[in-house]
Amino acid sequence: MSAILQGREAVTARGSSRLGAIEVPVRRLHIELTNRCNFSCEFCPDRVMRRPRGSMPLSMVESLLTQAGRERLARQVHFHIMGEPLLYPDLAEAVLVARRNAMEAWVTTNGSLLTPRLLLELEQAGLSHLTISLQTPDAPSFELRGSRLLPFEVYRERLIGAVRAFLSHGAGMSLSICFLANPLRRFLAPDAPDMRVGETGRALRAHMRDWVEAIFLGTGFEGQIPALLARVKKAGILKESRIRISQCLDFQVRILGNWAGHFERPITPARLGYCHGLSENFGVLWNGDYVICCADYDGKTVMANFSETPLRTYLGLPAVQEIVRGFQRYRVVHPHCRECLGGRRLDISLFRQVGSIIYFKIYRRLLDVGEDTQEVA
């Protein structure tokens, strides 16, 4: 680390410190345990990802988390960038290592491999939060997942069984079931697949009602169903939100992004905008490559590898610091970021650029979004 950068590192009143332009600990360190997946979702870039498939050695996971914990570089470890983390055989051990190093451990899964036993193992290992990306809550929409060997009814019953088991003994861990919505389709996801993902609040709420009844009917919680359905009525598609179902279970609404097809056509690049990559999160791919945000699925922003560059040194690299300072001035520096925040036409590009500033700097603060999404009680 340069002497200039070391001189700028100072502890703040909140117990954080500054590493140049970056306040540490950052909120999330994303670690990609594997980029292999048993699904091929039409709305996910897995099918267009060009980098090799592989899995991170457990020894690298341990080294990463030990560094991050010792130097207080991240508050949470999210075991996900691409791939299905439940395919990683040492997932529970990775969770244990994160907790030993005083960081919360979060896992996002498509849920297809989830069983009551595995859920209990993760809970006992100290997992803080599990997100099930249900995304496609009925048989027609499930066709978007590209899982030919797993019928929707089997998938549905597997999830219901795991969630019921969790509700019967869950303690110390929270569980989210995530639904997709696609408002403002023209600007947010103009290339979204033949839309079987909800574009209206009515469709979204109908799916949530179905899942509330499927999970709770015939259980000791059945009497709570009317109250839970009343909460579901508050769900809408114009904002990401979290609907509290029980003390440890919630439904989340996530907005569908044009993740899979965005980079496949010519783009009018962004020059202004904002992103919280690096200032709130950064990632490490399965082979140790650093990426500046959790959405870089193909490693377009790689500037260093963990095997040669420690975490703190990476965050202090001049090129990394320049990206962060650019966003602080609402300037988009990295070529990949310019494409990410741009659009295929000038009007869409301008909408996305201005929208990124409004969303990250105004909208989220006004709604007091918190760690991930606004909560609806």
Side-chain angles (χ1 to χ4, degrees), residues 39 57 79 143 184 209:
F39 277 17
F79 292 112
E143 294 178 7
L184 302 177
R209 287 195 299 270

Side-chain angles (χ1 to χ4, degrees), residues 40-42 136 138-147 152 196:
S40 183
C41 302
E42 292 184 27
T136 51
D138 61 5
S141 60
F142 188 71
E143 294 178 7
L144 301 175
R145 307 304 288 271
S147 178
F152 173 71
R196 286 159 280 182

Side-chain angles (χ1 to χ4, degrees), residues 33-48:
L33 297 176
T34 180
N35 65 342
R36 298 186 174 100
C37 191
N38 57 338
F39 277 17
S40 183
C41 302
E42 292 184 27
F43 47 79
C44 173
D46 177 86
R47 57 192 170 86
V48 297

Side-chain angles (χ1 to χ4, degrees), residues 30-295:
H30 289 260
I31 293 182
E32 182 185 76
L33 297 176
T34 180
N35 65 342
R36 298 186 174 100
C37 191
N38 57 338
F39 277 17
S40 183
C41 302
E42 292 184 27
F43 47 79
C44 173
D46 177 86
R47 57 192 170 86
V48 297
M49 182 174 58
R50 295 177 176 85
R51 58 189 173 94
R53 307 277 176 166
S55 297
M56 182 178 289
L58 183 59
S59 59
M60 184 184 292
V61 177
E62 293 172 334
S63 183
L64 272 165
L65 296 179
T66 299
Q67 276 192 31
R70 182 180 62 241
E71 303 190 33
R72 296 192 67 249
L73 296 178
R75 300 202 302 269
Q76 301 171 355
V77 178
H78 288 237
F79 292 112
H80 182 65
I81 295 179
M82 291 294 290
E84 170 49 55
L86 266 58
L87 289 172
Y88 191 73
D90 297 311
L91 178 58
E93 181 62 29
V95 170
L96 275 170
V97 174
R99 296 315 300 257
R100 288 194 203 110
N101 286 281
M103 289 175 286
E104 295 181 13
W106 291 48
V107 167
T108 299
T109 173
N110 61 37
S112 63
L113 302 174
L114 195 61
T115 64
R117 179 178 178 180
L118 178 55
L119 219 165
L120 182 60
E121 289 179 3
L122 293 174
E123 187 178 350
Q124 291 175 339
L127 186 66
S128 301
H129 195 105
L130 179 70
T131 297
I132 300 175
S133 293
L134 173 61
Q135 315 285 44
T136 51
D138 61 5
S141 60
F142 188 71
E143 294 178 7
L144 301 175
R145 307 304 288 271
S147 178
R148 303 180 189 87
L149 301 179
L150 181 66
F152 173 71
E153 288 304 321
V154 175
Y155 173 74
R156 182 175 182 271
E157 291 306 312
R158 188 171 295 173
L159 289 191
I160 291 171
V163 174
R164 286 183 174 183
F166 169 75
L167 290 172
S168 68
H169 62 71
M173 183 179 95
S174 56
L175 176 65
S176 296
I177 298 177
C178 191
F179 297 77
L180 273 182
N182 186 28
L184 302 177
R185 178 180 181 184
R186 178 186 175 198
F187 292 102
L188 295 179
D191 293 327
D194 182 24
M195 282 322 299
R196 286 159 280 182
V197 174
E199 293 186 337
T200 68
R202 178 180 296 178
L204 173 69
R205 290 186 290 273
H207 288 314
M208 288 186 173
R209 287 195 299 270
D210 289 343
W211 278 84
V212 164
E213 293 173 349
I215 291 169
F216 290 95
L217 276 174
T219 72
F221 304 95
E222 186 171 340
Q224 300 178 22
I225 290 178
L228 300 180
L229 294 179
R231 295 178 189 176
V232 165
K233 289 181 180 179
K234 300 179 182 180
I237 64 169
L238 291 178
K239 63 179 181 296
E240 297 192 346
S241 57
R242 184 170 69 244
I243 294 89
R244 181 68 62 188
I245 301 300
S246 73
Q247 185 176 359
C248 55
L249 172 67
D250 60 60
F251 286 175
Q252 288 190 6
V253 180
R254 292 290 175 88
I255 306 301
L256 174 67
N258 194 20
W259 207 24
H262 180 73
F263 299 97
E264 297 303 303
R265 297 183 183 181
I267 293 172
T268 300
R271 296 292 175 176
L272 61 88
Y274 185 81
C275 176
H276 59 191
L278 289 173
S279 62
E280 291 191 14
N281 75 88
F282 67 103
V284 185
L285 303 180
W286 69 265
N287 64 347
D289 283 343
Y290 292 106
V291 289
I292 67 174
C293 76
C294 59

